[in-house]
Each structure stands twice: as structure tokens, then as C-alpha cells.
Amino acid sequence: MSNSVVSTEILTMYLFSFFSISLTLPSRSLLRTDSQTCRLAFLVIYCLYISTKRRLPMGYYHPAQICLNGHVINDSIDSHPELNEKFCTKCGAKTITSCPSCGAPLHGDFDCGPFLDLEPPSADAYCYNCGAPYPWTESALKSTTVLLQEEELLTDAAKETLIHELPDIISETPKTKLAVLHIQKYLPTIGRFTADALKQFIIDFGCEYALSLLKL
Ligand SMILES: [Zn+2]
Ligand SMILES: [Zn+2]
């Protein structure tokens, strides 16, 4: 969530700077006076600074309410408590607002002041405070593990490899590329039902790197 937010905000910053220049300078004379030149230089330097730092100097996450299956119910429970639900309207599961392992509030919408966060709300896979998988991640890992264990066309060694590497599909790690290679190797050899379920797991929970490697 945070990387995409930063990218969006850098883009927003550039757009903001562009429109600021357009609005403050007289027509058809971009560098007409010294003060305008200084203003333009400041904005360019500021944008370069933000790009180099690759993170915003301000901003925070609103606490979120998410169902146990990972559907985001409310990405700003502090500003819009009226949108809270006890149970998910998509799947009927109970909703939570904090990590079951450590109690840290779930991350929702990233508030960056005047800049827009254009990313749709999504649930993180792991807790930022204690590193534990959230319930929806744990549930997906367990169900995909059972599916792979029951796949008759896989050897025991192949099952163990694929199951062991599922977390490397969720988060980008030094082993993600190897995990993707193993999936590409075994996917054509397994039953269609298991293959479709494995693909859906990757689409729902895979990191961007794994998705791009698998072209999903
Ligand atoms: Zn749900
Ligand atoms: Zn936690």
C-alpha cells in the first residue's frame, strides 16, 4: 500500500507544482521576473527533493475496519465512523479494526494533506507492527496449502516446495523469483481446479513483482 501511495503522491506533487506555476505566472511569460524565477526554481528543487527521498515528509494512515476475509469496510473509521459495519456486506464475516496478534490499528487511507491518494483501498497482508499475517492472509495460506496437499498430480517434494514458498509470493523477498519459477514449472502439470485456485490466490494476495513475473 505505501509504495503505491508514495508514487501517487510524487505524481500529485508534480501536478500541483505545474498548476501552481501556471496560476501564479502571467500569461505567456514563464520566466518574466526574478521573483517568478525564484518561485519556479524552488518548486523544481522541491520536486527533485521529494523524488530523491522517495517518501513524503508528512502524512499518516487513518485506522481502518476490514472483514476477516480481507474486504475493506471503512478505510477512515476516525473521520467516517458512520460507515462502520459489524459484519461484512460482501461475505458476512466479522469485521475488525486492529491486529488480532498485537492490537495495532489496521492501516486504512493514507492522509497526505492537500495531496490526493488515488489508490483504491486494499488490505495489507502482514501487520506493520508485529509482522504477523492478518486473518485473511492466514486463511488464504491455509486453504491454498490444503488444495496443494490434495493435488494428486504433484509429487510430495513439489507440494512441499510450493507450500513452503507461498509467503514469498505474497511479499517480495529474495526468494520471490524462485517461487515464481517453481509455480511456472508446476502449474501446467496440475489439475485445472487447483491451478485456477492457485492463480486466484496469486491475483488476490501476490506482490506486484510476482504478478508482473507471472503476467497476471
Ligand atoms: Zn468480507
Ligand atoms: Zn500486529
Side-chain angles (χ1 to χ4, degrees), residues 3 37 52 81 164 180 198 208:
N3 285 341
T37 306
T52 308
H164 181 71
V180 167
L198 186 56
E208 285 182 26

Side-chain angles (χ1 to χ4, degrees), residues 1 6 10 20 33 48 70 86 91 109 113 136 140 145 147 151 168 170 183-184 188 197 201 209:
M1 188 183 283
V6 169
I10 289 171
S20 298
T33 66
L48 287 172
K86 277 188 180 177
C91 69
D109 184 39
W136 44 91
T145 297
L147 275 170
E151 175 55 53
D168 297 305
I170 295 176
I183 284 175
Q184 285 172 326
F201 168 82
Y209 184 48

Side-chain angles (χ1 to χ4, degrees), residues 42-59:
F42 171 77
L43 287 168
V44 170
I45 290 167
Y46 186 62
C47 288
L48 287 172
Y49 167 76
I50 293 299
S51 303
T52 308
K53 292 276 286 181
R54 293 189 63 76
R55 57 184 303 149
L56 279 179
M58 56 185 175

Side-chain angles (χ1 to χ4, degrees), residues 79-134:
S79 9
H80 296 289
E82 73 279 7
L83 298 178
N84 285 354
E85 304 283 359
K86 277 188 180 177
F87 297 94
C88 178
T89 52
K90 286 181 184 162
C91 69
K94 191 183 159 197
T95 59
I96 56 171
T97 56
S98 59
C99 169
S101 298
C102 71
L106 302 176
H107 274 169
D109 184 39
F110 186 74
D111 193 319
C112 38
F115 305 107
L116 294 175
D117 177 8
L118 301 175
E119 294 295 321
S122 63
D124 288 333
Y126 295 93
C127 175
Y128 62 91
N129 191 53
C130 70
Y134 283 126

